[in-house]
Structures are given as C-alpha cells and as structure tokens.
Amino acid sequence: MDLPQRQRTLRATVEWSVGLLDDGERSLLETVAVFTDGWTIEAAAHVAGLEEDRALELLEALARHSLIQLDSTGPGPRCAMLETVRAFVAERLAARPDAAEVRRRHAEYYRALAEQADRPLRGAGQSEWTERLDAEAGNLAAAVHWYLAYEPTPLPHLFRILWPFWYLRDRYAEARPWIDELLSAAQSLDPQARVELEWTATTTAAEVGDDATALASRQRLEPLLDEVQDPFLHGICLLAMAWASPITGDFQGARREALASLEELRGQEEPFFTATAAFTVGGTETALGHFDGAQQHLAVMRELADRFGYTWLTASIRLLLGTLAIGQGRLDQARELLDEALDLSLASRIIRNVTLCLSTFAQLELAGGDPERAALLAGAAEGLGRRTGISTWPMQRQGEAQLAAQIRLALGDDRFGQVFAAGSRLSQQEAVAAIRDRPGNRTQPC
C-alpha cells in the first residue's frame, strides 16, 4: 500500500469537508483540536467561549459532516475526533492568533475540573469522579504540561488533589516526571505549596520504590509540619512519613506516625484517607507481628467501606484478614478471604491490590506445603508490579523478602529461580488463572 499517497488522499478529503463549513463551525472544529481523547459539550463551550446550547448546535453540525463523533450513550454527551482530522485542524489552530489563549483556557478548564473532584475523590462520589477523570486523563495531562511550561504555581495543590485518582487507577508512572520537574523549583513556592509538593513526592516515590527520593522528600517535609495550618494536610503528611519510615527499618516510628495520622483524620470527614491510615496501621502492626493490634483497626475500615461503597477498601480488608489468618494457621479461611479479595481487586481495577493478592496467595501456598506454586505466584506478583511501575510498599518488603527466602530454601536456588522467572512472565489473566486452577477451589477461571 502506498501509505504516503493514502495519507495525501485522506488529507484532501478532510480539507474538502472543512471547506464546506461555515465560519462558526470551522472555528469550533479548529478549537476542539486542543483536546486529547475526546471532550464534553461543557468543555468545548468553555474553551471556545460559547454558550453550551450554541456549542452543542455547532458540534451536531460537525458530526453531520462526519468530522467528529458525538456519543450520547454515556452519563453525558461526549465528542471524539479521528486523529487524521485532528492533525489537520491542529495545524489550522496553531496558525490562529488566539491559539495560545485557547490552550490557556483548556488548561484552566481541566484544573477547575480537578478542583471540583477534590472532595468527592476523598469521600462520597469517589467512583463516579474516578471514572470521569479516567475519561479525561489525556486532557488532564495536557493541562499539567501547560502549567509546567507557563504557570507552575498551582501544580502542587493540583497534584495533591489528583493523588487518589492516581492511586485508584495506577497512574503513578505518568505523574512522577511531572513531580520531579516541579521539585527543581520547590524553593520558589509558598510554604503550603511546598508541603503539598513534598507530600506528593514522598508518597508517589514510596509507591514506585524510589527510596532515595522518598527519603529526601520526607526529610524536607518533616521540618515544614509545624507550619501546616490545615488539619487535613497535617494528617496526611503524618501518613506520608509513616510510609517512608520503613525504608530505613523504622517500623515502630511508622506505627506511631500512622496512629497519629489516623487519630487526626478520624476527627474530620475524610473517609478515603482515614481508611488509608487505618490500613497503614494494620499493615505496620502485621509487619511487627502484632496481629491483635492489626485486627482492632479493621473496624474503622469496615465501617468506611460499608458507608461509602469502597470496593478497593473491602478488598484491602479481606487481604489483611487473609494475611492474619495465614499467620494464625487458619488456611482454609485464609483462602476464602483471599479469593474474595482477588474478585474485589479485579472489579475495582487496582493493579496494586492484585499484586498484593498474588503475593499473599504465595504466602498461603507455602504455608499449605506447595512451594512451587508459592514461587510461581511470588514471581507473578513481582512481574506484574514491575511492568506497571508499582513496587512493594516499604512496610511489606521485609515480609516479602522473608517469604522469598523461605520458598528458595524449600525448593533450592535453581528450581526457585526457574519457577519464579516463569511466574514473572505471566500476564495478569494468566496469574489469576494460576490461582484458580486448583482442585477444590470454589471460584471459576476468569
């Protein structure tokens, strides 16, 4: 196929179609080239400086010309444009004298959208807003790049707002370069912005296993805590410190910081971070072998999971209970809990929780006398996490290292290496099938 000729033909077709438009239709078509992966009627109206009714009228005309697609099957009308069309009209937009203003309005709209998401992401409405931001991920990224280039001051607050979205959609790898770029200008920020930036840097670095950055950011964050007037921000800063402390082996310090964070956040209406703090306390208690203490904090998590419909949190509860059951020798109960945790983790689409399920199932298989399956699932957890840019949480590394050493001792170095490597190559679907392909398991293959 003569691809260049085909491209020229397509371009000529698009140019001909654009030539049929009136001035208002053509102007809006050029303007919406600023969007990435689609847009809403409201967004188009804002960026083009139009009333929504007029924007809808023009977009419907563009759809009749087959230059955009208008989808009304979702929660609200959403538009999309073929890349061939977008490439052509983006050139026309770039040549307009107001092109810079269009890009500025686009960035401001998505910053405002994120601001609207702040409270819902931390409480009720989390699922709805996570889906909405997921659909707008490309536009949000474009907005961040604009602010990095022209007006970085609002970004620390924007990053703090988006953090739950990054967690719930495993998007840390995308966010890390933005944070690193902004850190170079941290000294020019006001105190609250510095705190929010260092908080985001500490938490995201801990999530992806960048220990050096996590510790450096934690060190810069700690002396700023006395200046934090916002009770919510102070509470989550303590939580960030709790996540970083185990990197140096300070589990007792992590426990104290997590407990202090939980105490502060429970006095506020902050269900997402209260639940995260309770899970952190439970995790540090488990790492320290304080199983009774870990179980006591499950009540906080259960109440929040039930009240707000947090599927990810229910999965985390099952995971923690399953881990405790393994430690107490209740293996049948542990398997049932972990099966439920895996189902919920897959439903919530959080790869972090899926990797935790795989790792905990490996612990269960070793306890049940099957070190080969344990090695396979431990390898699957490592491979899935590595491919998605997720690292074992610092508070769990010691336990995972001990698990790997015990499996290696049971199998021998060579066999462990072979099976672990085979597990690391499994896709998520293959790893889930490996868990469920077992006699007597009540779940069905995925």
Side-chain angles (χ1 to χ4, degrees), residues 6-317:
R6 180 172 178 271
Q7 287 176 336
R8 286 196 294 272
T9 301
L10 288 170
R11 183 180 178 88
T13 301
V14 173
E15 188 170 8
W16 176 78
S17 297
V18 171
L20 299 176
L21 304 177
D22 66 30
D23 289 345
E25 292 164 351
R26 189 179 302 111
S27 177
L28 182 58
L29 180 66
E30 293 167 355
T31 298
V32 296
V34 76
F35 293 100
T36 303
D37 297 333
W39 64 91
T40 63
I41 308 300
E42 178 188 334
H46 178 89
V47 175
L50 300 170
E51 295 292 328
E52 283 194 37
D53 288 347
R54 177 59 175 159
L56 178 57
E57 177 186 337
L58 292 172
L59 289 167
E60 287 174 337
L62 295 175
R64 288 194 295 272
H65 284 280
S66 300
L67 289 166
I68 69 165
Q69 298 81 48
L70 187 57
D71 181 5
S72 299
T73 60
R78 189 168 182 83
C79 306
M81 183 188 298
L82 290 175
E83 189 55 38
T84 306
V85 179
R86 185 174 184 269
F88 176 76
V89 296
E91 293 176 9
R92 297 175 65 101
L93 173 62
R96 282 172 32 172
D98 66 341
E101 176 65 13
V102 167
R103 294 190 181 93
R104 181 187 65 79
R105 289 200 299 264
H106 174 274
E108 289 179 346
Y109 177 82
Y110 285 100
R111 175 188 164 196
L113 183 70
E115 293 275 3
Q116 292 176 50
D118 188 12
R119 291 299 310 176
L121 280 176
R122 288 151 51 189
Q126 184 179 87
S127 178
E128 173 194 343
W129 273 91
T130 300
E131 293 295 331
R132 186 170 178 182
L133 294 182
D134 211 17
E136 300 292 3
N139 287 308
L140 287 166
V144 168
H145 285 295
W146 187 91
Y147 278 104
L148 283 169
Y150 298 105
E151 192 183 337
T153 305
L155 285 177
H157 188 59
L158 184 65
F159 292 166
R160 198 276 296 151
I161 290 171
L162 290 174
W163 192 93
F165 167 63
W166 296 341
Y167 171 79
L168 293 166
R169 284 295 180 265
D170 300 306
R171 303 193 73 98
Y172 291 117
E174 176 185 48
R176 285 300 308 290
W178 305 337
I179 298 164
D180 290 343
E181 183 174 346
L182 198 56
L183 279 171
S184 62
Q187 293 303 318
S188 65
L189 300 171
D190 66 49
Q192 173 146 332
R194 284 183 62 199
V195 169
E196 288 183 307
L197 178 59
E198 297 296 357
W199 176 83
T200 307
T202 303
T203 53
T204 53
E207 285 281 347
V208 302
D210 183 351
D211 291 358
T213 297
L215 289 174
S217 296
R218 183 198 191 284
Q219 187 173 17
R220 292 191 296 268
L221 178 61
E222 188 168 9
L224 298 174
L225 286 181
D226 288 343
E227 303 176 40
V228 178
Q229 302 299 314
D230 179 357
F232 163 67
L233 186 57
H234 192 274
I236 63 172
C237 283
L238 290 172
L239 185 57
M241 310 221 353
W243 287 355
S245 290
I247 294 173
T248 61
D250 186 7
F251 286 88
Q252 293 289 357
R255 177 179 174 275
R256 286 193 300 272
E257 289 154 352
L259 281 168
S261 173
L262 178 60
E263 184 65 25
E264 290 188 15
L265 291 168
R266 286 184 73 175
Q268 307 171 42
E269 189 58 32
E270 293 294 343
F272 174 78
F273 281 101
T274 300
T276 305
F279 183 68
T280 303
V281 174
T284 54
E285 295 277 19
T286 302
L288 290 165
H290 302 165
F291 296 149
D292 291 342
Q295 200 140 8
Q296 288 174 9
H297 291 91
L298 288 169
V300 177
M301 297 167 65
R302 280 200 193 96
E303 190 272 331
L304 292 170
D306 292 344
R307 180 150 59 104
F308 292 93
Y310 288 165
T311 303
W312 63 270
L313 181 55
T314 305
S316 298
I317 293 168

Side-chain angles (χ1 to χ4, degrees), residues 410-434:
L411 291 179
D413 287 346
D414 290 345
R415 186 59 183 159
F416 172 81
Q418 292 168 2
V419 180
F420 188 91
S424 71
R425 293 190 291 269
L426 296 179
S427 67
Q428 176 175 298
Q429 185 175 10
E430 290 168 337
V432 171

